[in-house]
Amino acid sequence: MVHNEIREKFLKFFESRGHKLVPSSSLLPTDPSVLFTTAGMQQFKPYYTGQADAQEDFGSLNAVSIQKCIRTSAIGEVGDESHLTFFEMLGNFSFGGYWKKEAIEYAHEFITKELGLNIDYVSVFEGENGIPADTESEKIWKSIDPTLEVRRFGREDNFWGPTGEEGPCGPSTEVFVKGIKYEIWNIVFNEFYCSKDKKFTPLDIKGIDTGMGLERLTSAVQNKSNIFETDLFEPLMSLLPDLIDIRKKRVISDHLRAAVFLLTDGVLASNKEQGYILRRLLRRAMVYENQANLPPHIFEDIIAKIIEIYGNEYSELKAKKDEIMNSYHTESNKFMKALSSGIKELQKTTVIDSESAFKLYESYGLPFEVIKEVGAEKASSLTREGFEMERKRHQEISRAGAEKKFGGHGIVEGDLTAANKEEMWQKTRLHTATHIIVAALKKVLKQDLPQAGSDINAERLRFDFTFPRKLTDDELREAEKIANQIVEQDVVVTKTEMPYEDAIKSGAAGFFKLKYPPMVKVFTIGPDTGYFSREICGGPHVSRTAEIGRIKITKEESVSGGNRRIRAVIE
Ligand code: SER
């Protein structure tokens, strides 16, 4: 059975059982606390909590999807038989439609009847931390097949979630099939909501969330001992010459595949957030390319093959083929120039600790994985955590340096610097206007908007936020209208200082993914009860909104990293 037949079978199976087919969402989620989409349930979070109504949106309480996912936690393990950074997750979901019995029966029928696989054993939650053992699932499995082995595991293995800082979560049951070491299907029973401070409250709607990795499932169906021998990977692996070590071939195939999907979703290689991950994936593959002295067309052929394999399922890959190739070439040209001197320098360095590793990264762009691997014994004490801490430390030093330099020539107040008082006043008005537009957009788009950056000069404000598509003219007009209503109502802007935890509890949104000090300033626009906007921010801000004047959104555009950018002026 080829991989596309497995997809079709899965979707048909659940569609014919009352599930609405929902397309994969972007790899870049709207949840600010996670960098990537890591599970099929992420786009459905509001349906589990009751914030959105599945019946209204899909005409059904049940959904089925094949979701593009990226998990970076396994980056170091890629190259073995089963780990990947990018993978597709087959999932069926229910938001109050059905519960354990149906979910388990569907899984059993699909695995054994539709795919003809033999279940080795299943696992259920054994109970922990006051949450009882899932004896119900055990009984259901046994009623379907009394000879089935049911193992019980704790929270580590059989409890899932939440994704991000908070969200639905619950016990799970996992299916293991014969011949495959790892779990094939994870069936989660979302019964609780886990808050930021890790408190569990029962959910009103009981939800089903299942996830099955297409690559692992395909290896089971195709009777292959590992995912790289399936028809999803074999066509990529076979483009690489035999002289390359098998582990490196796997890493190249995995990393280029993830890179193609990230580029398609609008990420560009950079030193920050999603762009930083993309850069690491590409560069690690490029180091192997360089070590094996591969002619340039091989990576191009692999990228073209990835687009061919997935082009029917994800037509955007075909549509963006030129952009993907161009971005790949840009990064390759940038990196290849510095690579051989970087490797030489690495070989000269006698002990590679976090500090010297960071220098190699900063001067030559060598990614952590490469330094660790090529450095071998010399880098034995180097850890990813140590390296990341060093990188953050340098980011903070350079940020502080930039502030000082500029501050020396003008006046500094909170987060703003200006050449003179007049400019400071103009920037202060634009600063409050930024908070107002962000809050107005959140209202119009009915969701949180992770902030990705802000820049204010004397003429205009500009800010970036993560959102998967272009905003419509109507949405922009509506946001502008709401923003100006707040200005016209001349509401008060208040500043309070409080511990960071209290700020979050009081509903304040953090701006960027900054590390905040223990005490923070919180700016609230509008009355404490029913405020319009509340943000942790260094200020300064106007004291009443009418001081701003009319707000005009002048532009909305796409920027790197899957982010949107808004520009606005005040009149
Ligand atoms: N959310 C669960 C997982 O990712 C089941 O879909 O494994």
Side-chain angles (χ1 to χ4, degrees):
M1 204 186 293
V2 297
H3 65 86
N4 276 339
E5 286 173 76
I6 302 176
R7 283 179 209 277
E8 271 165 40
K9 258 188 194 290
F10 183 80
L11 296 176
K12 278 219 185 87
F13 182 87
F14 284 101
E15 275 185 286
S16 67
R17 285 161 181 78
H19 291 65
K20 170 77 186 169
L21 170 59
V22 179
S24 171
S25 64
S26 162
L27 282 170
L28 307 178
T30 46
D31 180 346
S33 63
V34 275
L35 268 193
F36 295 112
T37 298
T38 57
M41 62 80 70
Q42 248 161 289
Q43 66 164 324
F44 299 119
K45 263 173 136 179
Y47 300 106
Y48 292 109
T49 55
Q51 281 164 304
D53 186 334
Q55 190 70 48
E56 219 166 79
D57 290 0
F58 311 136
S60 169
L61 291 176
N62 315 319
V64 60
S65 75
I66 301 181
Q67 175 66 50
K68 303 181 274 188
C69 298
I70 294 254
R71 287 190 185 173
T72 51
S73 52
I75 227 173
E77 281 155 280
V78 176
D80 69 2
E81 300 198 326
S82 63
H83 285 93
L84 293 168
T85 53
F86 171 86
F87 65 100
E88 288 174 274
M89 191 186 273
L90 310 175
N92 56 292
F93 307 89
S94 186
F95 321 104
Y98 57 88
W99 188 230
K100 294 186 181 177
K101 185 170 182 295
E102 294 85 343
I104 292 174
E105 283 173 356
Y106 288 153
H108 183 268
E109 186 181 347
F110 186 73
I111 289 288
T112 60
K113 307 241 163 65
E114 291 287 318
L115 299 181
L117 295 170
N118 291 318
I119 297 183
D120 189 3
Y121 67 95
V122 297
S123 65
V124 299
F125 182 56
E126 70 180 357
E128 210 175 306
N129 284 3
I131 300 173
D134 187 4
T135 48
E136 190 184 346
S137 293
E138 187 164 347
K139 276 193 204 123
I140 298 168
W141 281 114
K142 286 284 191 194
S143 73
I144 301 172
D145 178 357
T147 63
L148 194 64
E149 183 190 351
V150 183
R151 299 189 189 172
R152 291 176 168 208
F153 296 117
R155 257 190 91 167
E156 189 76 4
D157 298 290
N158 278 82
F159 196 92
W160 204 87
T163 333
E165 285 174 351
E166 59 183 321
C169 63
S172 72
T173 180
E174 295 190 331
V175 181
F176 294 75
V177 300
K178 293 222 163 79
I180 305 280
K181 291 193 285 287
Y182 31 81
E183 135 258 323
I184 280 283
W185 207 339
N186 186 17
I187 299 155
V188 179
F189 307 115
N190 275 326
E191 293 183 68
F192 303 102
Y193 192 85
C194 179
S195 63
K196 276 191 186 148
D197 52 358
K198 303 287 163 239
K199 287 210 178 76
F200 294 100
T201 17
L203 281 169
D204 291 340
I205 307 168
K206 285 191 168 157
I208 296 293
D209 153 29
T210 89
M212 177 154 59
L214 177 66
E215 296 77 2
R216 289 181 177 187
L217 181 66
T218 306
S219 73
V221 172
Q222 296 179 352
N223 211 3
K224 303 287 185 192
S225 62
N226 74 74
I227 49 182
F228 296 97
E229 288 174 12
T230 63
D231 63 347
L232 286 160
F233 276 104
E234 201 283 323
L236 310 180
M237 298 283 284
S238 63
L239 290 172
L240 290 161
D242 289 340
L243 60 98
I244 303 184
D245 155 292
I246 182 85
R247 197 185 57 81
K248 290 186 179 172
K249 278 191 186 180
R250 291 171 176 174
V251 171
I252 294 173
S253 308
D254 168 77
H255 285 17
L256 289 182
R257 203 172 70 128
V260 166
F261 277 91
L262 284 171
L263 288 165
T264 307
D265 279 353
V267 180
L268 292 176
S270 75
N271 290 331
K272 279 203 315 223
E273 307 192 334
Q274 290 99 343
Y276 174 60
I277 303 287
L278 171 61
R279 173 160 280 172
R280 272 166 54 195
L281 293 169
L282 278 172
R283 290 188 172 190
R284 187 175 181 201
M286 286 168 187
V287 169
Y288 294 161
E289 178 191 20
N290 184 270
Q291 285 172 341
N293 230 337
L294 296 184
H297 75 85
I298 294 199
F299 270 31
E300 287 164 15
D301 294 347
I302 296 177
I303 293 174
K305 187 55 98 183
I306 294 168
I307 296 172
E308 183 191 314
I309 296 176
Y310 292 95
N312 286 340
E313 288 305 314
Y314 302 97
S315 58
E316 62 271 26
L317 260 65
K318 277 198 259 183
K320 291 198 176 171
K321 184 171 179 179
D322 291 347
E323 270 174 63
I324 295 168
M325 282 292 184
N326 288 343
S327 302
Y328 159 71
H329 282 131
T330 308
E331 183 64 9
S332 171
N333 293 339
K334 208 180 270 174
F335 184 52
M336 288 304 191
K337 272 192 217 129
L339 177 60
S340 44
S341 10
I343 298 282
K344 263 192 217 129
E345 192 61 35
L346 195 159
Q347 278 154 352
K348 270 200 278 178
T349 316
T350 44
V351 180
I352 302 167
D353 55 11
S354 307
E355 214 170 303
S356 50
F358 178 77
K359 279 204 189 105
L360 288 164
Y361 163 72
E362 200 182 32
S363 320
Y364 304 99
L366 295 185
F368 168 81
E369 291 76 15
V370 172
I371 300 173
K372 182 82 188 157
E373 189 170 313
V374 180
E377 275 301 297
K378 291 191 293 184
S380 58
S381 69
L382 177 68
T383 61
R384 186 183 302 280
E385 293 73 29
F387 178 81
E388 286 304 327
M389 260 164 67
E390 190 64 18
R391 198 171 73 88
K392 287 217 174 72
R393 200 169 70 82
H394 277 264
Q395 275 174 350
E396 270 152 32
I397 292 171
S398 66
R399 200 164 39 222
E403 274 161 23
K404 263 205 208 95
K405 220 169 30 198
F406 193 67
H409 298 287
I411 44 173
V412 185
E413 247 184 81
D415 291 344
L416 300 181
T417 43
N420 51 47
K421 274 196 167 163
E422 210 178 354
E423 188 178 299
M424 181 56 83
W425 176 235
Q426 184 72 1
K427 284 187 165 184
T428 303
R429 291 161 62 217
L430 285 161
H431 195 189
T432 314
T434 306
H435 284 213
I436 293 181
I437 301 174
V438 170
L441 280 171
K442 284 184 190 170
K443 286 210 159 48
V444 172
L445 301 173
K446 298 193 182 59
Q447 66 171 75
D448 206 14
L449 297 174
Q451 298 293 300
S454 160
D455 177 73
I456 292 171
N457 66 28
E459 277 77 46
R460 54 107 187 106
L461 66 89
R462 195 187 83 187
F463 67 91
D464 299 346
F465 57 98
T466 308
F467 191 68
R469 61 162 172 85
K470 190 166 177 49
L471 272 61
T472 64
D473 287 346
D474 279 354
E475 284 166 342
L476 290 171
R477 259 199 305 275
E478 182 62 19
E480 192 179 276
K481 193 173 121 198
I482 295 174
N484 281 309
Q485 278 165 359
I486 292 297
V487 170
E488 279 152 31
Q489 285 163 17
D490 194 20
V491 300
V492 62
V493 182
T494 44
K495 177 173 99 174
T496 350
E497 282 204 66
M498 58 178 95
Y500 174 74
E501 272 73 38
D502 292 355
I504 296 296
K505 266 185 223 143
S506 80
F511 234 65
F512 320 116
K513 284 186 184 130
L514 283 180
K515 240 180 105 53
Y516 288 102
M519 285 299 284
V520 293
K521 289 183 208 155
V522 171
F523 284 85
T524 303
I525 303 176
D528 197 38
T529 49
Y531 57 81
F532 178 71
S533 149
R534 177 168 280 173
E535 302 259 9
I536 300 177
C537 174
H541 286 281
V542 300
S543 47
R544 301 196 69 97
T545 54
E547 288 164 26
I548 296 170
R550 229 193 112 64
I551 296 174
K552 194 166 153 43
I553 297 178
T554 51
K555 195 167 183 180
E556 190 270 353
E557 63 192 324
S558 150
V559 281
S560 67
N563 292 323
R564 313 292 314 175
R565 175 168 287 177
I566 293 264
R567 289 169 195 269
V569 294
I570 49 180
E571 293 168 338

